[in-house]
Amino acid sequence: MTNVYIVGAGPGDYELITVKGLKAIQKADVILYDRLINQELLDEAKEDAELVFCGKRPDHHALSQTTINHLLCKYALKGKVVTRLKGGDPFVFGRGGEEAEELAKRNISYEIVPGITSGIAAPAYAGIPVTHREYSSSVAFISGVNKKDSDEDAYWERVVKSMDTLCIYMGVKKLPDICERLLKHGRPLHTPVALVQWGTTKEQKTVTGTIEDIVEKSRRIENPAMIIVGDVVQLRERLQWFEPSLEEDVNVVASSVG
């Protein structure tokens, strides 16, 4: 019998969770959930299920990762069915691997339930395919935040020179630095860039530009947001289907004022 389910809740839209993920919520005695999940998913929990908030913001963690690991083990060892509900996919910048390691060390049975990661879903809802036969045959999902002791120059050189499309998580505050590194390692100023905030939700906002002007254009964009770099961003003009661009919103306001 599985004691712990490490579940990807998807990128934000309530309907984008998997069937298996939804069943794990419904059967759980305890749900440890993150900040970026759709809160409506918690309505699917049993009436007597214990809900534990484990949310993390860039500047504040409600619970440390060590505490979360401890709680997963504590509840599971009490015989509870535990669902660890994480935004996106638990193994894509979600620390799901660290949690699974802790459970494995204690011989606690667990299942990984993959979810749709925002690196694919947010661009898709913005009308940007991350690959396309005419524009991109490779894509990398990378973090805008690296370990303090890592060689950032070598890291960025490797991904910039080897991939057509870059999907960057947790990079909004570091956007000026990211643009500098893209230029340093060979991307031209006119390289298309998009930022998608709150992808797949009704609050979604998208802004597009180039390495040269995206920092200025995206001043209204805040976390959580995906950064997409590459020629595929140009396809938004033809494939946009979910929400108007931020540029269009600005133009509408300007024309109404005029």
PDB file of all heavy atoms in Angstrom, residues 114-132:
ATOM      1  N   PRO A 114       3.163  12.608 -11.830  1.00  0.00           N
ATOM      2  CA  PRO A 114       3.629  13.767 -12.595  1.00  0.00           C
ATOM      3  C   PRO A 114       2.508  14.775 -12.848  1.00  0.00           C
ATOM      4  O   PRO A 114       1.320  14.425 -12.876  1.00  0.00           O
ATOM      5  CB  PRO A 114       4.108  13.147 -13.918  1.00  0.00           C
ATOM      6  CG  PRO A 114       4.386  11.712 -13.592  1.00  0.00           C
ATOM      7  CD  PRO A 114       3.366  11.344 -12.553  1.00  0.00           C
ATOM      8  N   GLY A 115       2.908  16.016 -13.042  1.00  0.00           N
ATOM      9  CA  GLY A 115       1.959  17.073 -13.373  1.00  0.00           C
ATOM     10  C   GLY A 115       2.442  17.852 -14.584  1.00  0.00           C
ATOM     11  O   GLY A 115       3.587  17.708 -15.015  1.00  0.00           O
ATOM     12  N   ILE A 116       1.573  18.684 -15.123  1.00  0.00           N
ATOM     13  CA  ILE A 116       1.956  19.518 -16.264  1.00  0.00           C
ATOM     14  C   ILE A 116       2.767  20.694 -15.730  1.00  0.00           C
ATOM     15  O   ILE A 116       2.288  21.483 -14.917  1.00  0.00           O
ATOM     16  CB  ILE A 116       0.721  20.036 -17.018  1.00  0.00           C
ATOM     17  CG1 ILE A 116      -0.114  18.862 -17.534  1.00  0.00           C
ATOM     18  CG2 ILE A 116       1.138  20.933 -18.172  1.00  0.00           C
ATOM     19  CD1 ILE A 116      -1.434  19.277 -18.159  1.00  0.00           C
ATOM     20  N   THR A 117       3.995  20.802 -16.185  1.00  0.00           N
ATOM     21  CA  THR A 117       4.862  21.872 -15.696  1.00  0.00           C
ATOM     22  C   THR A 117       4.558  23.193 -16.392  1.00  0.00           C
ATOM     23  O   THR A 117       4.180  23.225 -17.564  1.00  0.00           O
ATOM     24  CB  THR A 117       6.344  21.500 -15.883  1.00  0.00           C
ATOM     25  OG1 THR A 117       7.149  22.542 -15.335  1.00  0.00           O
ATOM     26  CG2 THR A 117       6.692  21.313 -17.354  1.00  0.00           C
ATOM     27  N   SER A 118       4.733  24.286 -15.662  1.00  0.00           N
ATOM     28  CA  SER A 118       4.435  25.609 -16.216  1.00  0.00           C
ATOM     29  C   SER A 118       5.360  25.974 -17.368  1.00  0.00           C
ATOM     30  O   SER A 118       5.027  26.820 -18.197  1.00  0.00           O
ATOM     31  CB  SER A 118       4.521  26.677 -15.121  1.00  0.00           C
ATOM     32  OG  SER A 118       5.801  26.663 -14.519  1.00  0.00           O
ATOM     33  N   GLY A 119       6.527  25.315 -17.451  1.00  0.00           N
ATOM     34  CA  GLY A 119       7.440  25.596 -18.553  1.00  0.00           C
ATOM     35  C   GLY A 119       6.877  25.225 -19.903  1.00  0.00           C
ATOM     36  O   GLY A 119       7.299  25.752 -20.935  1.00  0.00           O
ATOM     37  N   ILE A 120       5.909  24.309 -19.924  1.00  0.00           N
ATOM     38  CA  ILE A 120       5.207  23.944 -21.153  1.00  0.00           C
ATOM     39  C   ILE A 120       3.843  24.623 -21.222  1.00  0.00           C
ATOM     40  O   ILE A 120       3.435  25.163 -22.247  1.00  0.00           O
ATOM     41  CB  ILE A 120       5.027  22.423 -21.248  1.00  0.00           C
ATOM     42  CG1 ILE A 120       6.384  21.723 -21.371  1.00  0.00           C
ATOM     43  CG2 ILE A 120       4.136  22.045 -22.429  1.00  0.00           C
ATOM     44  CD1 ILE A 120       6.300  20.225 -21.292  1.00  0.00           C
ATOM     45  N   ALA A 121       3.123  24.604 -20.085  1.00  0.00           N
ATOM     46  CA  ALA A 121       1.736  25.067 -20.077  1.00  0.00           C
ATOM     47  C   ALA A 121       1.604  26.579 -20.244  1.00  0.00           C
ATOM     48  O   ALA A 121       0.743  27.052 -20.991  1.00  0.00           O
ATOM     49  CB  ALA A 121       1.056  24.630 -18.790  1.00  0.00           C
ATOM     50  N   ALA A 122       2.429  27.358 -19.532  1.00  0.00           N
ATOM     51  CA  ALA A 122       2.314  28.821 -19.636  1.00  0.00           C
ATOM     52  C   ALA A 122       2.584  29.299 -21.060  1.00  0.00           C
ATOM     53  O   ALA A 122       1.807  30.096 -21.606  1.00  0.00           O
ATOM     54  CB  ALA A 122       3.246  29.496 -18.631  1.00  0.00           C
ATOM     55  N   PRO A 123       3.655  28.841 -21.714  1.00  0.00           N
ATOM     56  CA  PRO A 123       3.832  29.227 -23.111  1.00  0.00           C
ATOM     57  C   PRO A 123       2.670  28.782 -23.995  1.00  0.00           C
ATOM     58  O   PRO A 123       2.227  29.536 -24.876  1.00  0.00           O
ATOM     59  CB  PRO A 123       5.135  28.526 -23.508  1.00  0.00           C
ATOM     60  CG  PRO A 123       5.866  28.299 -22.248  1.00  0.00           C
ATOM     61  CD  PRO A 123       4.805  28.082 -21.199  1.00  0.00           C
ATOM     62  N   ALA A 124       2.160  27.553 -23.775  1.00  0.00           N
ATOM     63  CA  ALA A 124       1.060  27.059 -24.603  1.00  0.00           C
ATOM     64  C   ALA A 124      -0.164  27.957 -24.481  1.00  0.00           C
ATOM     65  O   ALA A 124      -0.822  28.278 -25.476  1.00  0.00           O
ATOM     66  CB  ALA A 124       0.706  25.630 -24.202  1.00  0.00           C
ATOM     67  N   TYR A 125      -0.486  28.386 -23.257  1.00  0.00           N
ATOM     68  CA  TYR A 125      -1.642  29.268 -23.055  1.00  0.00           C
ATOM     69  C   TYR A 125      -1.378  30.679 -23.590  1.00  0.00           C
ATOM     70  O   TYR A 125      -2.309  31.455 -23.774  1.00  0.00           O
ATOM     71  CB  TYR A 125      -1.996  29.322 -21.573  1.00  0.00           C
ATOM     72  CG  TYR A 125      -3.023  28.296 -21.151  1.00  0.00           C
ATOM     73  CD1 TYR A 125      -2.811  26.938 -21.348  1.00  0.00           C
ATOM     74  CD2 TYR A 125      -4.223  28.684 -20.555  1.00  0.00           C
ATOM     75  CE1 TYR A 125      -3.746  25.992 -20.957  1.00  0.00           C
ATOM     76  CE2 TYR A 125      -5.165  27.746 -20.161  1.00  0.00           C
ATOM     77  CZ  TYR A 125      -4.923  26.398 -20.369  1.00  0.00           C
ATOM     78  OH  TYR A 125      -5.869  25.463 -19.986  1.00  0.00           O
ATOM     79  N   ALA A 126      -0.130  30.995 -23.823  1.00  0.00           N
ATOM     80  CA  ALA A 126       0.211  32.288 -24.428  1.00  0.00           C
ATOM     81  C   ALA A 126       0.354  32.173 -25.945  1.00  0.00           C
ATOM     82  O   ALA A 126       0.700  33.148 -26.614  1.00  0.00           O
ATOM     83  CB  ALA A 126       1.521  32.814 -23.831  1.00  0.00           C
ATOM     84  N   GLY A 127       0.097  30.990 -26.491  1.00  0.00           N
ATOM     85  CA  GLY A 127       0.212  30.799 -27.935  1.00  0.00           C
ATOM     86  C   GLY A 127       1.642  30.599 -28.400  1.00  0.00           C
ATOM     87  O   GLY A 127       1.980  30.914 -29.543  1.00  0.00           O
ATOM     88  N   ILE A 128       2.491  30.043 -27.525  1.00  0.00           N
ATOM     89  CA  ILE A 128       3.899  29.844 -27.853  1.00  0.00           C
ATOM     90  C   ILE A 128       4.248  28.363 -27.696  1.00  0.00           C
ATOM     91  O   ILE A 128       4.360  27.869 -26.574  1.00  0.00           O
ATOM     92  CB  ILE A 128       4.814  30.685 -26.934  1.00  0.00           C
ATOM     93  CG1 ILE A 128       4.476  32.169 -27.041  1.00  0.00           C
ATOM     94  CG2 ILE A 128       6.293  30.440 -27.255  1.00  0.00           C
ATOM     95  CD1 ILE A 128       5.156  33.029 -25.978  1.00  0.00           C
ATOM     96  N   PRO A 129       4.420  27.624 -28.804  1.00  0.00           N
ATOM     97  CA  PRO A 129       4.879  26.240 -28.691  1.00  0.00           C
ATOM     98  C   PRO A 129       6.375  26.231 -28.385  1.00  0.00           C
ATOM     99  O   PRO A 129       7.132  26.996 -28.986  1.00  0.00           O
ATOM    100  CB  PRO A 129       4.600  25.659 -30.084  1.00  0.00           C
ATOM    101  CG  PRO A 129       4.643  26.844 -30.998  1.00  0.00           C
ATOM    102  CD  PRO A 129       4.190  28.032 -30.199  1.00  0.00           C
ATOM    103  N   VAL A 130       6.815  25.390 -27.463  1.00  0.00           N
ATOM    104  CA  VAL A 130       8.237  25.436 -27.100  1.00  0.00           C
ATOM    105  C   VAL A 130       9.124  24.774 -28.151  1.00  0.00           C
ATOM    106  O   VAL A 130      10.335  25.000 -28.178  1.00  0.00           O
ATOM    107  CB  VAL A 130       8.488  24.829 -25.709  1.00  0.00           C
ATOM    108  CG1 VAL A 130       7.824  25.687 -24.640  1.00  0.00           C
ATOM    109  CG2 VAL A 130       8.022  23.380 -25.624  1.00  0.00           C
ATOM    110  N   THR A 131       8.533  23.931 -29.002  1.00  0.00           N
ATOM    111  CA  THR A 131       9.248  23.417 -30.168  1.00  0.00           C
ATOM    112  C   THR A 131       8.377  23.599 -31.408  1.00  0.00           C
ATOM    113  O   THR A 131       7.143  23.673 -31.304  1.00  0.00           O
ATOM    114  CB  THR A 131       9.607  21.919 -30.034  1.00  0.00           C
ATOM    115  OG1 THR A 131       8.403  21.143 -29.985  1.00  0.00           O
ATOM    116  CG2 THR A 131      10.438  21.666 -28.786  1.00  0.00           C
ATOM    117  N   HIS A 132       9.036  23.653 -32.565  1.00  0.00           N
ATOM    118  CA  HIS A 132       8.326  23.838 -33.835  1.00  0.00           C
ATOM    119  C   HIS A 132       9.316  23.497 -34.933  1.00  0.00           C
ATOM    120  O   HIS A 132      10.480  23.931 -34.886  1.00  0.00           O
ATOM    121  CB  HIS A 132       7.837  25.286 -33.963  1.00  0.00           C
ATOM    122  CG  HIS A 132       6.944  25.540 -35.145  1.00  0.00           C
ATOM    123  ND1 HIS A 132       7.420  25.600 -36.438  1.00  0.00           N
ATOM    124  CD2 HIS A 132       5.611  25.754 -35.223  1.00  0.00           C
ATOM    125  CE1 HIS A 132       6.412  25.853 -37.261  1.00  0.00           C
ATOM    126  NE2 HIS A 132       5.304  25.934 -36.546  1.00  0.00           N
TER     127      HIS A 132
END
